[in-house]
């Protein structure tokens, strides 16, 4: 594996770890954490696709010639918003499932 | 084949009874329902007999194709073969309506029964008038769909079980048939105008596979040997259903499909070159023998008649599969005679069941004195079925026996003779028991109403009269054999 | 001028959805009226747009005035028009149906939210159909997925919550697969605009990355379309959701998965690698048909039967698409239309029966056909076209699928299609037996109790759907006005 | 760019740690560390916009939502 | 058993993904298609066309404004979905037994909350030149309000920011996008054209519209996240 695509490999590894959590861990909250790990790994992959050696942040300043690719950053920012939405929804479902399946011992 | 004459009559003939049938469901009063059903049957018979003169001269009536979707179009084409089958069904339909009026008096859900009966027979006629494979399949499947509620009309456990078996056999056949229809259309032909519409360039194995699926598809309805088990079960249904549908409309449609396949889709030369006519003949023979033997042992009257239907339908198959001119004529005439006789036999069974509640052959002792008229008709019809000279049955046997001789397969002649004898063995004892055995209980003469007697005598006497003046159906049969085998 | 309707069809429902919570504080029927008006507007503009497509084949609209690869373009062509008409008409019918249903079955506080989510679902689907840019498609995919998770769980029972959570997990994983696929495609080509992407991909050799990207996105849309091994979430979600919602889910949302697959296979890939993908997916579709039908036969809860039957019917659609031939695609699209109309009518009827009579199991529904005759006529029409009897749209789609399969020489596929439709017929007759040909068990709820009058609000949508499936059934040719050019257009894209 | 080679092993270790801890509250806390490190990785890859968003969302909102959810359900994970 | 199945499936999927990833073009070198096809125009003309020095905000608001509008719809859907499941906290929240933390904590929070809000406002409004943006600012506003709620209790916060206000804010972003879009159509261009120079609007008016959008995104996302937090924080009575 060429060292250049090192970050892609890390992203895929994180994706698998997250996927494993969702598949194998029984607790609903742990599954949601797993989903978040998968999401961040996909974002890492998207950003590393758009990265550029020696490129600086996409804020146009005089004198700076080559910039990092801004399009993946837009995609990832929107996907992060979606990730927050999905996590909040999943958490509220998990809470409602727990509470309507018989109130276990619950501290205030 | 001369160019078809354009007409819209067949479309009206099929769709008006269907619309009337649907109207029956909405009508609440019993009188109006009977009127609608009778009107539908009269329209059917009237229209068909109006077409008889032109068709008997060898011409063909056809409509313009109505395109429902690309490649799916309704096309009606009335030729001699179609008209013969339709005429038989339509004629017997009228008398079944008369029989059902009395028979259904005490039954419940009459509206549903009348509606589905009309729809079923109308789609039966639709199959015979179909001009292309798609329309044939459309009405073929509608016939099965509309007959299913009739079979389970009683809503008892046994009726439901019979319905399930009926459903399983016929709809598997349906699926196979659609496969073969789509395959044929893919290979080339769709409209029944030429004798053989498949390109002979195809590999023989593929064509043999196609014919095999066709035979299975239509065979289920024609109750050939391994696929016949649904017919005796359906004997549980009310008598008009078993009489008209299972002795005449449904089973004839199966055989009609097979004849269309043998002569229109494949054509006699291709069948012979594939060597498949041997298979068909063997299937027919086995069903004949098997049906008659089992009929012997059946004690329930209706089940015995059902098994005899299984046997007799294969007479027609044998006649058609022998691929000889007189064999085909004999097959068609036999079909007509069997329809008339078997319908009247079933009506007699229904009358006896309604009159005295006797269902089993062993209980029929002394029935000749209880319902003399019914038993006389029963005897006449049985003789007609066996093929005693003056009746139409004899004429059909005569041509049927000539068929194998012409086609040099004389050993099947023996099978024909054997099954005719067996037919005698399972029908004549009933007459003997009815007239010469004394009944256990008191014997008082019962008056069976005219609604029963009229259809019964039409069937029995019709067989006799047609035997003497066979002109209407004989001409049609000859036209068919000329058009298919160039006799 | 009518180009603006393209963007308004999407934005009007979504904007009205945001208005509903504000207005429903004072005017408590706001939810229903706003939702119906917005969907009526979308349906009207869908008709205008389809008219435009009939005239000039493809309408495009540059949102924000930027040219495509830089800005976002939304376009409507033949395939889109077919799905758009289906989506807007069905959502309108379900919205109108759910007025009485929702008042009878949901708490008062959740009714405005039901309509908000319904509008978001409809707007999300319409946006998904029109999207010209893959990432835009992904965002609309998220919108209608999130709203369908919530709509499944809105009735609040524990079982429906669990089913909806499973649906959410699988949906989120499928959306992550799509995002990963988009990332791979972007790294290979550098653009998100589909036509340019397809052009760039065409130049590249068919490397592992393209195969991975396609596999990821097709699997994701396979989860959404509940294709066989990925369908685990569907039976629970569709049967426990409120009936109008399961009508929309079965009728439309799984079709969006199919639309996504079409977009990827034809628009982006141009049919490349179709041989290996086709073989795998038609195998999955074939198993879906048989297994879905067998499971449906085993159940006796009426909505569970229809849910499993959706799994099997979707198998037909995907089988049709992966044949990559004229008749295969025509059969697939026709099956989409047939299943959408028939299944939503069936679910709506089941909804009426369950909310009026309170029974879900078949044994309790004995002889109900005689007490609700008018409703049951449409129920039978829908069952007939589901079972693909003659003179129904189902027959035409089954015919074309068989023809397509035989044309490619795969007789076993034609056999599977016929066996599947036989099994479908089995469970349809099983239902008909219970509804029409069984006398109500005396012990249950006083047999002959006449049910309260079915309100016209519920009957009209069912009537329209039933009449629509009858009309398309007798003359499938009508739908070919859209299907024929759509299929020819798709085949034209296959290089 | 070189900082990433230093941070990435941390990321993997923390991810595995979050998966296999049985106490949910601990898992959530470790997860907030995970997002912080991810924020630094974004910054290193030249995406300050995302770094700010990741910090705000990861450390700010998501973790708080998780903690509140864990308080309303059980803390121990049944294996 | 489930674990083994999961591990097997994952290793299969992992191998497949890693193989695919290795055949991708090298990460970070300038000749990649990602750096040569669409993006150069954003970088060269971005500043002139949208007046935003930060290209990410330029793309977010102007080039792909439609996506941002739909992103806000996603947030709104997530909130509506969570409400459908948990039900909005009742206006008179329960008097849960809430113990005020020590004076020191309260003093620190009282001092810092206005500072954080000022910082958040800065982040929202300076999205054009610095690496900020509506959405990040909104989240920071939400986080500050959450800190305030944790310290002073839900009742205190609800008195300050009532559910009614939050409901209006939540829908404000989508409605403002809608208005800007319809304004674009009214002026004869396409939907959302007002965020682009093509229509000849004065430079100042265009920047004002972009700022309006930026602020509405910030407030809306803040309100949504606060409502989501209240939903989960609400303690079931009894």
């Amino acid at each position: 594996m060429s060292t250049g695509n090192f970050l892609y490999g890390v992203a895929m590894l994180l994706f698998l770890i997250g996927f494993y959590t969702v598949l194998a861990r029984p607790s609903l909250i742990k599954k949601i954490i797993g989903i978040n790990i998968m999401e961040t790994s996909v974002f890492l992959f998207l950003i590393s696709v758009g990265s550029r050696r020696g490129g600086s942040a996409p804020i146009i300043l005089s004198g700076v010639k080559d910039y990092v690719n801004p399009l993946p950053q837009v995609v990832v920012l929107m996907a992060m918003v979606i990730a927050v939405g999905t996590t909040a929804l999943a958490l509220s479902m998990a809470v409602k499932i727990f509470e309507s399946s018989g109130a276990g011992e619950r501290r205030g | 084949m001369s160019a078809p004459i354009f007409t819209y009559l067949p479309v009206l003939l099929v769709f008006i009874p269907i619309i009337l049938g649907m109207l029956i469901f909405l009508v609440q009063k019993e009188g109006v329902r009977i009127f609608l059903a009778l009107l539908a049957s009269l329209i059917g018979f009237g229209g068909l007999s109006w077409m008889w003169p032109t068709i008997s001269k060898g011409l063909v009536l056809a409509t313009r194709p109505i395109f429902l979707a690309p490649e799916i179009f309704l096309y009606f084409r009335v030729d001699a073969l179609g008209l013969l089958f339709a005429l038989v069904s339509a004629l017997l339909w009228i008398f079944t309506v008369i029989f059902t009026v009395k028979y259904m008096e005490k039954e419940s859900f009459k509206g549903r029964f009348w509606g589905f009966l009309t729809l079923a027979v109308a789609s039966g006629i639709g199959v015979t008038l179909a001009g292309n494979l798609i329309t044939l399949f459309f009405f073929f499947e509608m016939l099965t769909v509309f007959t299913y509620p009739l079979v389970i009309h009683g809503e008892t456990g046994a009726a439901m079980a019979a319905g399930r078996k009926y459903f399983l056999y016929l709809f598997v056949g349906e699926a196979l048939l659609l496969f073969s229809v789509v395959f044929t259309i893919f290979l080339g032909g769709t409209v029944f105008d030429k004798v053989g519409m498949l390109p002979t360039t195809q590999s023989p194995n593929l064509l043999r596979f196609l014919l095999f699926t066709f035979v299975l598809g239509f065979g289920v309805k024609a109750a050939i040997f391994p696929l016949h088990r649904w017919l005796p079960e359906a004997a549980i249904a009310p008598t008009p259903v078993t009489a008209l549908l299972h002795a005449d409309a449904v089973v004839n449609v199966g055989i009609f499909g097979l004849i269309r396949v043998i002569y229109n889709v494949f054509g006699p030369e291709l069948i012979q070159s594939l060597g498949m006519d041997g298979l068909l003949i063997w299937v027919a023979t086995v069903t004949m023998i098997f049906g008659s033997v089992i009929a012997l042992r059946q004690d329930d009257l209706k089940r015995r008649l059902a098994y005899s239907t299984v046997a007799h339908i294969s007479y027609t198959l044998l006649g058609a599969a022998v691929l000889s001119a007189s064999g085909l004529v004999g097959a068609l005439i036999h079909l007509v005679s069997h329809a008339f006789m078997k319908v009247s036999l079933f009506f007699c069974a229904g009358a006896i069941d309604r009159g005295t509640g006797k269902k089993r052959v062993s209980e029929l002792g002394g029935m000749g004195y209880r319902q003399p008229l019914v038993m006389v008709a029963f005897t006449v019809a049985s003789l007609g079925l066996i093929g005693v000279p003056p009746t139409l049955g004899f004429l059909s046997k005569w041509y049927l026996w000539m068929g194998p001789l012409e086609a040099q397969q004389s050993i099947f002649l023996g099978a024909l003779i054997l099954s005719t004898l067996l037919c005698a063995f399972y029908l004549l004892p009933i007459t003997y028991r009815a007239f010469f055995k004394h009944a256990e209980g008191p014997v008082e003469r019962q008056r069976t109403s005219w609604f029963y007697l009229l259809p019964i005598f039409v069937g029995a006497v019709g067989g006799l009269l047609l035997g003497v003046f066979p002109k209407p159906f004989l001409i049609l049969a000859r036209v068919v054999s000329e058009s298919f085998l160039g006799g | 001028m009518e180009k603006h309707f393209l963007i308004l069809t999407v934005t009007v429902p979504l904007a009205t959805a945001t208005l509903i919570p504000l207005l429903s504080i004072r005017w408590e029927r706001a939810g229903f009226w706003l939702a119906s008006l917005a969907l009526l507007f979308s349906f009207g503009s869908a008709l205008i747009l389809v008219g435009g497509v009939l005239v000039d084949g493809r309408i495009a609209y540059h949102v924000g005035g930027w040219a495509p690869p830089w800005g976002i373009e939304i376009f409507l062509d033949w395939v889109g028009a077919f799905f758009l008409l289906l989506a807007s008409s069905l959502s309108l019918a379900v919205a109108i149906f759910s007025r009485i249903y929702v008042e009878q079955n949901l708490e008062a506080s959740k009714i405005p939210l039901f309509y908000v989510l319904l509008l978001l679902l409809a707007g999300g689907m319409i946006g998904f159909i029109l999207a010209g840019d893959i990432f835009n498609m992904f965002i609309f995919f998220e919108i209608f997925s999130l709203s369908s998770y919530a709509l499944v769980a809105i009735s609040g029972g524990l079982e429906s919550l669990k089913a909806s959570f499973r649906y959410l997990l699988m949906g989120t994983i499928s959306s992550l697969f799509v995002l990963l696929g988009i990332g791979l495609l972007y790294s290979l080509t550098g653009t998100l605009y589909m036509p340019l992407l397809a052009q760039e991909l065409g130049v590249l050799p068919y490397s592992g990355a393209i195969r991975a990207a396609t596999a990821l996105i097709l699997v994701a849309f396979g989860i959404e379309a509940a294709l066989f091994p990925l369908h685990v979430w569907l039976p629970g979600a569709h049967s426990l959701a409120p009936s109008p919602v399961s009508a929309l889910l079965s009728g439309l949302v799984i079709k969006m998965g199919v639309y996504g697959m079409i977009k990827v296979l034809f628009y982006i890939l141009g049919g490349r690698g179709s041989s290996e993908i086709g073989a795998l997916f038609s195998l999955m579709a074939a198993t879906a048909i048989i297994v879905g039908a067998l499971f449906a036969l085993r159940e006796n809860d009426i909505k569970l039967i229809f849910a499993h039957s959706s799994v099997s019917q979707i198998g037909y659609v995907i089988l049709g698409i992966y044949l990559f031939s004229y008749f295969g695609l025509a059969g697939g699209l026709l099956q989409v239309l047939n299943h959408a109309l028939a299944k939503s009518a069936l679910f709506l009827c089941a909804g009426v029966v369950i909310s009026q009579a309170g029974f879900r199991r078949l044994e309790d529904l004995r002889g109900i056909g005689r007490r609700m005759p008018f409703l049951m006529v449409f129920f039978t029409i829908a069952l007939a076209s589901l079972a693909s009897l003659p003179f129904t749209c189902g027959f035409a789609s089954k015919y074309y699928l068989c023809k397509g399969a035989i044309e490619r020489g795969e007789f076993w596929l034609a056999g599977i299609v016929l066996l599947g439709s036989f099994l479908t017929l089995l469970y349809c007759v099983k239902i008909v037996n219970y509804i029409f040909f069984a006398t109500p068990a005396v012990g249950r709820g006083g047999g002959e109790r006449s049910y309260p009058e079915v309100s016209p609000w519920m009957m009209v949508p069912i009537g329209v759907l039933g009449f629509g499936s009858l009309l398309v059934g007798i003359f499938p040719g009508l739908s070919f006005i859209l299907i024929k050019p759509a299929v020819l257009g798709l085949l034209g894209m296959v290089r | 760019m070189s900082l990433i080679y230093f941070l990435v092993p941390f990321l993997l270790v923390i991810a595995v740690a979050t998966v296999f801890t049985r106490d949910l509250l601990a898992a959530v806390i470790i997860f907030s560390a995970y997002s912080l490190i991810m924020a630094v990785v974004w910054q290193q890859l030249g995406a300050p916009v995302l770094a700010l968003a990741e910090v705000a969302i990861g450390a700010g909102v998501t973790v708080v939502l998780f903690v509140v959810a864990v308080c309303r359900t059980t803390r121990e994970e049944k294996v | 058993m489930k674990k083994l199945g999961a591990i097997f499936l994952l290793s299969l999927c992992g191998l497949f993904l890693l193989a695919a990833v290795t055949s991708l073009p090298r990460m970070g070198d300038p000749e990649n298609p990602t750096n040569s096809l669409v993006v150069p125009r954003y970088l060269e003309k971005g500043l002139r066309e949208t007046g935003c020095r930060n290209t990410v905000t330029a793309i977010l608001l102007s080039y792909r404004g439609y996506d941002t509008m739909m992103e806000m719809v996603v947030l709104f859907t997530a909130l509506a979905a969570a409400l459908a499941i948990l039900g909005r906290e009742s206006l008179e929240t329960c008097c849960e037994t809430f113990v005020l933390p020590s004076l020191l904590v309260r003093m620190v929070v009282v001092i810092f909350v206005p500072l954080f809000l000022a910082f958040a406002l800065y982040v929202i409004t300076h999205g054009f030149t610095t690496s900020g943006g509506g959405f990040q600012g909104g989240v920071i506003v939400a986080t500050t309000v959450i800190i305030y709620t944790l310290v002073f209790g839900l009742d205190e916060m609800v008195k300050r920011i009532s559910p009614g206000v939050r409901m209006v804010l939540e829908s404000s972003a989508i409605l403002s996008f809608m208005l800007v879009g319809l304004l674009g159509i009214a002026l004869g261009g396409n939907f959302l054209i007002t965020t682009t120079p093509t229509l000849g609007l004065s430079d100042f008016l265009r920047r004002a519209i972009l700022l309006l959008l930026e602020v509405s995104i910030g407030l809306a996302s803040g309100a949504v996240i606060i409502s989501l937090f209240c939903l989960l924080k609400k303690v079931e009575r009894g």
Side-chain angles (χ1 to χ4, degrees), chain E residues 141-213:
Chain E
V141 164
T143 331
T144 4
V145 168
I146 287 171
I147 295 171
Y148 182 84
T149 334
L150 291 179
V151 171
F152 288 93
L154 206 58
D155 311 347
E156 202 56 44
M157 188 279 281
V158 167
K159 274 211 282 298
R160 294 268 182 307
I161 310 167
S162 73
V165 169
R166 271 184 274 128
M167 209 190 288
V168 170
L169 282 179
E170 279 145 20
S171 334
S172 63
I174 302 164
L175 293 178
S176 53
F177 262 97
M178 195 64 182
L179 287 177
V180 168
L182 292 178
L183 181 68
I185 292 182
L187 297 176
N190 276 355
F191 194 78
L192 285 178
I193 201 162
T194 43
T195 58
T196 53
T198 45
L199 208 58
L201 273 170
S202 78
D203 214 11
F204 169 74
L205 197 59
R206 210 160 24 72
R207 291 174 70 90
I209 288 170
L210 286 186
L211 189 61
L212 163 78
L213 288 183

Side-chain angles (χ1 to χ4, degrees), chain C residues 24-330:
Chain C
S24 65
I25 298 167
R26 270 178 303 289
W27 173 33
E28 102 302 319
R29 267 282 170 69
F32 169 71
W33 289 110
L34 276 175
S36 320
L37 285 177
L39 288 174
L40 195 65
F41 172 84
S42 299
F43 181 60
S45 48
L47 288 178
I48 295 169
L49 289 171
V50 168
V53 166
L54 288 178
V55 166
D56 48 26
R58 185 180 194 272
I59 315 177
Y61 188 88
H62 302 168
V63 182
W66 296 104
W70 296 282
I72 297 171
E73 183 201 69
I74 45 179
F75 74 95
L76 190 68
D77 60 355
W78 296 103
V79 185
F82 175 77
F83 277 92
L84 179 69
L85 210 56
L86 202 62
S88 42
S89 52
L90 263 180
S91 322
L92 182 63
V94 166
I96 292 170
F97 173 86
S98 50
R99 175 175 178 207
I100 301 293
Y101 185 88
V102 155
E103 265 145 29
Q104 283 166 355
N105 294 63
L106 276 182
E107 304 110 359
S109 69
K110 290 194 175 170
I111 290 180
L113 282 175
F114 176 84
Y115 288 111
V116 167
L117 291 167
L118 198 67
L119 272 179
L120 291 171
L121 180 65
M125 280 191 285
I126 293 171
F128 182 78
I129 292 167
L130 298 181
D133 182 286
I134 349 170
F135 185 67
N136 202 350
M137 240 170 102
F138 168 73
I139 290 199
F140 281 112
F141 177 80
E142 273 307 315
I143 292 177
F144 75 75
S145 300
L146 278 178
S147 39
S148 55
Y149 307 146
L151 280 170
V152 167
I154 201 165
S155 53
L158 176 62
E159 279 317 312
S160 63
L161 269 166
K162 280 205 173 111
S164 127
F165 190 79
R166 205 179 310 122
Y167 183 19
L168 179 128
L169 279 190
M170 294 194 81
T172 320
I173 288 170
S174 85
S175 74
L176 283 174
F177 275 11
V178 171
L179 204 55
L180 210 53
I182 291 175
L184 282 167
L185 287 179
Y186 180 72
S187 76
L188 287 168
T189 57
T191 169
L192 292 173
Y193 177 54
M194 265 195 261
L196 192 61
L197 180 72
Q199 190 192 329
E200 293 293 320
L201 271 183
V203 171
L204 294 170
Y206 190 66
S207 69
I210 297 181
R211 187 180 291 120
T214 7
L216 280 171
I217 298 183
L218 288 182
V219 163
F221 285 126
I223 293 176
E224 187 55 33
L227 188 56
F228 169 67
L230 314 163
H231 73 295
V232 238
W233 58 271
L234 185 130
H238 284 207
S239 62
L240 295 168
S243 297
V245 171
S246 31
L248 259 183
L249 287 177
S250 267
L252 271 177
V253 175
I254 44 181
K255 307 297 188 294
M256 290 303 120
V258 170
Y259 182 76
M261 281 191 187
I262 291 177
K263 270 271 172 85
V264 167
L265 275 174
F266 291 93
Y267 286 74
I268 295 175
L269 268 176
R272 237 157 62 147
S274 65
S275 55
E276 68 192 31
I277 304 175
L280 175 69
F281 271 84
S282 37
L283 190 68
M284 281 159 79
T287 9
I289 294 173
I290 304 299
V291 167
L294 287 177
F295 269 101
L297 262 170
R298 213 164 43 87
E299 297 303 331
N300 56 32
D301 169 341
I302 197 162
K303 281 178 84 169
L304 213 52
I305 294 178
F306 290 150
H308 282 294
S309 108
S310 295
V311 173
S312 139
Q313 300 292 323
I314 271 294
Y316 284 108
V317 176
I318 287 165
L319 195 75
I321 287 162
Y322 282 96
L323 284 174
F324 286 103
S325 70
Y326 175 77
F327 282 111
L329 276 167

